[in-house]
C-alpha cells in the first residue's frame, strides 16, 4: 500500500503531507535535520573540550578559596571563644592581623 501511494504521489497526484509530497521527501528532510544537529553537537563538544582545562583550573581555585575562607571563619570563632579579638589592616601590599586580648 505504501509503495503504491509513493508511486502515485511521486507522479504528482496528491501528496503525503502538506509539506512533503512523498515518504522519500519526508525522510530526506529528517536526515538533513539529523546531520545539522550532529554538526551542531560536534561543535559544542569541541568548544567544551577547548575550555575544559581553564574551567577545571578555575574550579580548583574556587575550592581552595572556599577552604581558606572556611578556615578563617573557624579561626576567628575560636579566637572569640578564647577571649581574643582580631583586627586586620593593610600595610602597603601586605594584610596584617593583630590579636588583642578581649
Amino acid at each position: 500500500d505504501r509503495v503504491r501511494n509513493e508511486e502515485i504521489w511521486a507522479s504528482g497526484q496528491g501528496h503525503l503531507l502538506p509539506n512533503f509530497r512523498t515518504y522519500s521527501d519526508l525522510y530526506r528532510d529528517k536526515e538533513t535535520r539529523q546531520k545539522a544537529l550532529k554538526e551542531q553537537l560536534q561543535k559544542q563538544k569541541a568548544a567544551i573540550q577547548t575550555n575544559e582545562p581553564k574551567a577545571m583550573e578555575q574550579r580548583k581555585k574556587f575550592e581552595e578559596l572556599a577552604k581558606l575562607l572556611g578556615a578563617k571563619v573557624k579561626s576567628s570563632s575560636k579566637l572569640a571563644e578564647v577571649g581574643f579579638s582580631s583586627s586586620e589592616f593593610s600595610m602597603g601590599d601586605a594584610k596584617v592581623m593583630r590579636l588583642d586580648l578581649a
Side-chain angles (χ1 to χ4, degrees):
D1 191 40
R2 280 189 175 186
V3 174
R4 195 171 341 115
N5 287 336
E6 181 81 4
E7 291 170 352
I8 292 170
W9 295 328
S11 68
Q13 300 173 5
H15 49 79
L16 172 64
L17 296 169
N19 296 340
F20 304 103
R21 180 173 292 257
T22 63
Y23 285 110
S24 297
D25 293 341
L26 174 66
Y27 291 118
R28 199 173 303 119
D29 182 68
K30 285 186 176 189
E31 180 183 13
T32 302
R33 289 176 188 253
Q34 288 297 316
K35 285 182 181 179
L37 179 61
K38 177 185 167 189
E39 289 174 7
Q40 180 184 6
L41 290 173
Q42 286 175 335
K43 287 179 184 178
Q44 287 178 353
K45 180 182 175 184
I48 289 171
Q49 287 176 338
T50 301
N51 295 327
E52 185 180 19
K54 294 176 189 172
M56 293 298 290
E57 181 180 339
Q58 185 178 10
R59 186 177 296 125
K60 183 179 177 186
K61 286 180 181 179
F62 179 79
E63 289 171 358
E64 290 172 356
L65 177 63
K67 285 181 187 176
L68 181 63
L69 291 174
K72 184 175 181 178
V73 167
K74 233 183 209 181
S75 69
S76 64
S77 66
K78 282 185 181 181
L79 286 175
E81 289 174 10
V82 174
F84 287 97
S85 64
S86 68
S87 57
E88 192 175 61
F89 55 94
S90 294
M91 261 184 130
D93 291 335
K95 292 261 186 190
V96 177
M97 180 181 268
R98 187 178 73 205
L99 299 175
D100 298 321
L101 289 174

